[in-house]
Amino acid sequence: MNLSWIDWTIVVVSLILIRAVSWSTRSLMRGVADFLSANRLAGRYLLTISGEVGGFGVISMVAGFQAFTSAGFPTMWWGLMSAPLGIIFVMTGWVYYRLRETRALTVPQFFEMRYSRKFRILAGSLCWLSGIINFGIFPAVAARFLIYFCGLPETFAVMGLHIATYPVILAVDLGLALFFVNAGGQVSVMITECAQGIIASFAFFAIAVAVIIMIPWHTEVAALQLAPANASMLNPFHTSEVKDFNVWFYMIGIFISVYSFQSWLGTQGFMTSARTPHEQRMGSIIRVWRSMPQDLMRMVLPLAAFTALNSAQFAPQMAAVHETISHIGNKAVQNEMLVPVALAHILPVGIKGLLVMVAVFLSLTCHDTYMHSWGSIFVQDIVMPIRQKAFTPREHIAWLRWSIFGVAVFSFFFSLLYVESDKIFFFQAITGTIWLGGAGAVMIGGLYSRFGTTAGAYCAMVSGAVLGIAGLVIPKMWEAQHTTPFPINGQWLMLIASLISIALYVGVSIATGGAKRPFNLEKMLHRGAYSVDPPQPQAAKSALRGRWLEMLGVGKEFTKGDTALAILLTVWTLGWWLVFLVVCTMHFVFHAIPEAFWPAYWRVNIYILATICVPSLIWFTIGGALDMRALLTALKTAVRDPNDDGRVIHELDDRLDADPILEAAVK
């Protein structure tokens, strides 16, 4: 065992607290919209805190460890290339604002509004298939992290029987997540994840500060400088030998970020839970500061482990680490568990307990979020459209709970049986392509174009799915015949599938008359005469100030406080992008960036993050607590609409030249 009684006490007490919070929300889930989207009553802080931890599981943390130990700090530098995208997405409401305007409870429901019921069934099926396969290794990575970090034995004895630890941890993990999500649906998910997110943020900060104090910076720099000259762990301009996480990985990532933004539906419950589209946007605006403690921990933990693995002063502890790793038969799992096992041998008592608590929280929040999403999609977008008959609310919620249970059972056996052979990021990329390859074109085309047709959507979706499945099968066949890995990784395969899907969507839509009969977007987005949301507060602005703010995406619905936050985000993001441009210019044009610059740059970066964490913790703790109370209060008096269950009740022809007599008859 690597943990003391103090560490275990931290973990047990935190679990008891969170279970009590989850159970207290059960009575407030009184309808299908509550179960799916918390009746669309969530505020910005609740959305941000719960959504952040719901989308960041142990698997995300371990994948980040793999990236850092493969390429070091340059992985963070090249990520700055896409900094302006964050402003563009947030300030324009790219995809998510219009999706919220449709009032759809799931993305495939929006597809039925925009295309057809049959297409919704196809999209829902591909989304669900891609999602549950992608989710299949989440519990496996989390269980292994807990086993190897805590030093749990491979088996334990009960009444003379030797029971394997791994399947038991899988079952306990998924069982707890299942309890949280089925207790009250999205209401329970959001409240418990917000509580866990607030507690975890303080743990993130405490762990990071302890590691910063524990290992001197000069020791960490010395370890990083051991890397080969053209595979630098500090200087992003000397990384030509880095294989996977190089500049091309991030350039493709920029395209994928735009193309598939909000298309991945693992956290779709948060995409439809906001009180208004504006609250959804504000949640995205403030997210950058909410994530500071998490980002700090993600930076310093793999750095500490890498330093220990490559420094003589930690040699005795690392001998035990390599001994443990050598007993793992799978090379991919060895790579995943290297940093967790190293951390288990260098972190002090108390900090280990906090990290296990964080891992348990991240596992539960991520797994209940994903199980809620994939279970809901199966019922909402496959069963209901095929059935074509409304459930009673009680039947509907029962179906949702059993569907979520089915996702848990599938992920248990997938984690138990699947043999990993690649880094986590690339497995996620190729399994995600089954859905995302075509979904980006269909989503963007459906929300922003009037010419997109159902035929174009079918072609894009099917081509993306076929290429995604091929990307899973062909590399396995290649590796069976060759001694070398498949030459194209999951990131490149996803790019190829996306480009083909875009071409098919545009070409087929135009060929099938989409440009001649434009779609009525105003009706689908509930704008103008079709509006259903209450008017937003409007502050008076001068003409000049109004024009500048409109360039930033700040509309009339922004209050003075909202405007200030939007400007602050713009200054912060463009400031870092300016640093990126200046340093790149100084290097490529003037060759004026010395090697000594990079250790100083990364040290300052860490200190800036640590400094901002303090006000961030106070700000979001208060905001999160107030939003939790507001949601619980609103749910007590909210009027439930039994028809608000994800069905598209009237499937009209919404082309602008639709037959007015037919439309009037249907109304």
Side-chain angles (χ1 to χ4, degrees), residues 505-564:
Y505 182 86
V506 174
V508 174
S509 291
I510 293 174
T512 52
K516 297 178 181 179
R517 298 185 63 210
F519 186 81
N520 187 350
L521 284 178
E522 284 72 22
K523 181 177 182 181
M524 183 184 72
L525 299 176
H526 301 96
R527 292 182 175 181
Y530 308 103
S531 178
V532 295
D533 282 325
Q536 299 296 313
Q538 299 180 7
K541 298 181 177 72
S542 67
L544 178 61
R545 178 170 176 265
R547 283 196 296 271
W548 276 104
L549 292 176
E550 285 178 7
M551 290 176 64
L552 296 177
V554 177
K556 296 179 180 180
E557 69 275 13
F558 279 68
T559 65
K560 290 182 178 179
D562 296 343
T563 302

Side-chain angles (χ1 to χ4, degrees), residues 275-613:
R275 282 197 296 264
T276 65
H278 179 64
E279 281 298 290
Q280 195 87 36
R281 179 185 294 182
M282 290 307 302
S284 298
I285 287 175
I286 62 178
R287 179 167 292 147
V288 65
W289 295 290
R290 159 65 185 86
S291 65
M292 292 292 181
Q294 178 178 293
D295 293 342
L296 180 65
M297 187 193 75
R298 294 176 69 184
M299 184 182 293
V300 302
L301 279 184
L303 174 60
F306 184 88
T307 301
L309 289 163
N310 293 276
S311 298
Q313 70 185 74
F314 293 98
Q317 297 100 309
M318 295 307 103
V321 171
H322 291 299
E323 174 68 17
T324 300
I325 294 297
S326 68
H327 287 89
I328 301 174
N330 184 307
K331 289 185 177 180
V333 177
Q334 285 182 346
N335 185 271
E336 289 175 7
M337 292 298 108
L338 183 61
V339 170
V341 175
L343 292 173
H345 285 78
I346 63 174
L347 294 180
V349 172
I351 298 301
K352 287 183 185 178
L354 286 177
L355 185 53
V356 174
M357 181 193 76
V358 163
V360 171
F361 279 3
L362 293 179
S363 180
L364 295 178
T365 56
C366 182
H367 297 172
D368 65 18
T369 295
Y370 274 65
M371 284 170 12
H372 178 273
S373 293
W374 305 132
S376 298
I377 285 170
F378 180 78
V379 174
Q380 297 297 117
D381 304 309
I382 301 175
V383 174
M384 286 179 60
I386 293 174
R387 174 185 167 91
Q388 297 188 26
K389 178 182 177 183
F391 291 112
T392 66
R394 185 182 295 274
E395 290 174 336
H396 199 151
I397 292 171
W399 268 85
L400 288 167
R401 283 175 167 155
W402 279 110
S403 179
I404 291 168
F405 176 77
V407 174
V409 171
F410 173 87
S411 61
F412 174 84
F413 285 104
F414 193 93
S415 290
L416 201 61
L417 301 174
Y418 181 77
V419 179
E420 295 180 52
S421 60
D422 205 349
K423 289 185 174 69
I424 291 171
F425 275 132
F426 299 125
F427 175 83
Q428 291 180 313
I430 196 58
T431 54
T433 300
I434 297 171
W435 162 250
L436 293 178
V442 174
M443 175 87 84
I444 296 169
L447 288 170
Y448 290 92
S449 81
R450 298 178 185 274
F451 67 82
T453 64
T454 303
Y458 269 112
C459 291
M461 191 64 74
V462 171
S463 68
V466 170
L467 292 170
I469 294 171
L472 275 176
V473 176
I474 293 175
K476 293 289 185 182
M477 296 171 61
W478 172 279
E479 291 167 7
Q481 299 294 324
H482 301 78
T483 57
T484 58
F486 189 64
I488 304 175
N489 65 34
Q491 194 83 336
W492 281 99
L493 290 171
M494 189 173 188
L495 174 65
I496 294 168
S498 301
L499 292 175
I500 292 174
S501 294
I502 292 171
L504 287 172
Y505 182 86
V506 174
V508 174
S509 291
I510 293 174
T512 52
K516 297 178 181 179
R517 298 185 63 210
F519 186 81
N520 187 350
L521 284 178
E522 284 72 22
K523 181 177 182 181
M524 183 184 72
L525 299 176
H526 301 96
R527 292 182 175 181
Y530 308 103
S531 178
V532 295
D533 282 325
Q536 299 296 313
Q538 299 180 7
K541 298 181 177 72
S542 67
L544 178 61
R545 178 170 176 265
R547 283 196 296 271
W548 276 104
L549 292 176
E550 285 178 7
M551 290 176 64
L552 296 177
V554 177
K556 296 179 180 180
E557 69 275 13
F558 279 68
T559 65
K560 290 182 178 179
D562 296 343
T563 302
L565 289 172
I567 293 173
L568 182 60
L569 174 66
T570 303
V571 172
W572 170 264
T573 305
L574 292 184
W576 283 110
W577 193 51
L578 181 62
V579 170
F580 175 81
L581 293 177
V582 169
V583 172
C584 286
T585 301
M586 295 294 289
H587 171 77
F588 290 112
V589 178
F590 301 105
H591 308 286
I593 302 296
E595 286 293 324
F597 168 81
W598 292 106
Y601 171 82
W602 295 117
R603 188 178 193 181
V604 170
N605 198 290
I606 289 173
Y607 287 164
I608 289 173
L609 270 179
T611 301
I612 296 176
C613 282

